[in-house]
Amino acid sequence: MRVLVIRAHPLDSSKSRSMAMADVFLEELLSSHPDASVDDVRLYETAVPEIDLDMMTGWERLADGEHFSHLTGPQQNKLALFDQYTKQFQAADLVVIANPLWNLSVPTRLKAWIDTISRAGVTFRYTEDGAAEGLVKGKTVVHLQASGGHFDQQDPACLYIRGMFSFLGCEVHTVAAEGMDHEPDRAEQILQEAHDRVRELARGL
């Protein structure tokens, strides 16, 4: 099993609830799959290219037939890194995404990473009648999210992750630790219950 872990928080598990959930999941998964290979990507400790002018003009030049070596240095670097993230995602059997809910959305670094793996003609395509079809088959995505309020996994971030990866063709499982700021006296209990659900999910994969 090839596992890709995407951590979308600048803090580590000692201070981030979502990162602690990721650690619990990995520990349980590796106890039953000791031979699994893990790529642990910390988005706030690495470059994640955003779709900007360099990338758009670089793609345009390539589409016009220019050789990659003729692109500018920034264009080459960003496009190469963009492709690297796409291939890393394609190679994984299991993708684990851990993030906080920030302002009813995912962290911007996570959105930028998702752009690198949502690619027409690569991970989805348009059919002859113009409908979109996911091309990622047989891949499981586990979404781990922590939030201060209660949303019953219906917040925009959960819906976005579930919708995007289902669209690509993945099987999506979500575990959300919710309400820890709304009920601070129960925060530890809420997180522990989420850890239990995370362990149960990991054992079933």
Side-chain angles (χ1 to χ4, degrees), residues 102-113:
W102 281 352
N103 297 325
L104 294 180
S105 188
V106 298
T108 56
R109 287 283 181 99
L110 179 54
K111 172 59 171 66
W113 176 82

Side-chain angles (χ1 to χ4, degrees), residues 102-138:
W102 281 352
N103 297 325
L104 294 180
S105 188
V106 298
T108 56
R109 287 283 181 99
L110 179 54
K111 172 59 171 66
W113 176 82
I114 291 173
D115 284 342
T116 71
I117 58 91
S118 305
R119 303 183 63 174
V122 180
T123 56
F124 71 93
R125 73 182 184 97
Y126 292 104
T127 63
E128 291 182 358
D129 59 4
E133 176 185 24
L135 299 176
V136 181
K137 309 297 182 183

Side-chain angles (χ1 to χ4, degrees), residues 75-89:
Q75 287 173 329
Q76 291 185 35
N77 292 337
K78 291 176 182 181
L79 291 179
L81 185 56
F82 201 89
D83 287 344
Q84 176 183 316
Y85 281 122
T86 306
K87 292 174 182 177
Q88 186 180 47
F89 170 74

Side-chain angles (χ1 to χ4, degrees), residues 54-194:
D54 285 329
M55 298 199 63
M56 297 187 74
T57 54
W59 280 324
E60 183 178 23
R61 291 174 65 181
L62 292 175
D64 288 341
E66 285 197 57
H67 193 272
F68 183 80
S69 62
H70 294 164
L71 302 182
T72 67
Q75 287 173 329
Q76 291 185 35
N77 292 337
K78 291 176 182 181
L79 291 179
L81 185 56
F82 201 89
D83 287 344
Q84 176 183 316
Y85 281 122
T86 306
K87 292 174 182 177
Q88 186 180 47
F89 170 74
Q90 289 177 302
D93 304 301
L94 171 65
V95 179
V96 182
I97 299 171
N99 66 275
L101 177 67
W102 281 352
N103 297 325
L104 294 180
S105 188
V106 298
T108 56
R109 287 283 181 99
L110 179 54
K111 172 59 171 66
W113 176 82
I114 291 173
D115 284 342
T116 71
I117 58 91
S118 305
R119 303 183 63 174
V122 180
T123 56
F124 71 93
R125 73 182 184 97
Y126 292 104
T127 63
E128 291 182 358
D129 59 4
E133 176 185 24
L135 299 176
V136 181
K137 309 297 182 183
K139 196 183 303 295
T140 299
V141 172
V142 170
H143 180 213
L144 308 175
Q145 179 173 286
S147 64
H150 289 289
F151 300 94
D152 196 25
Q153 299 182 21
Q154 296 303 302
D155 57 89
C158 276
L159 295 176
Y160 170 62
I161 295 292
R162 188 180 308 126
M164 176 58 72
F165 286 94
S166 296
F167 162 71
L168 294 179
C170 303
E171 178 182 345
V172 183
H173 302 274
T174 303
V175 177
E178 299 183 332
M180 291 171 287
D181 294 340
H182 180 68
E183 300 181 82
D185 56 322
R186 293 188 61 245
E188 194 61 35
Q189 177 187 347
I190 291 171
L191 188 59
Q192 186 56 55
E193 290 172 352

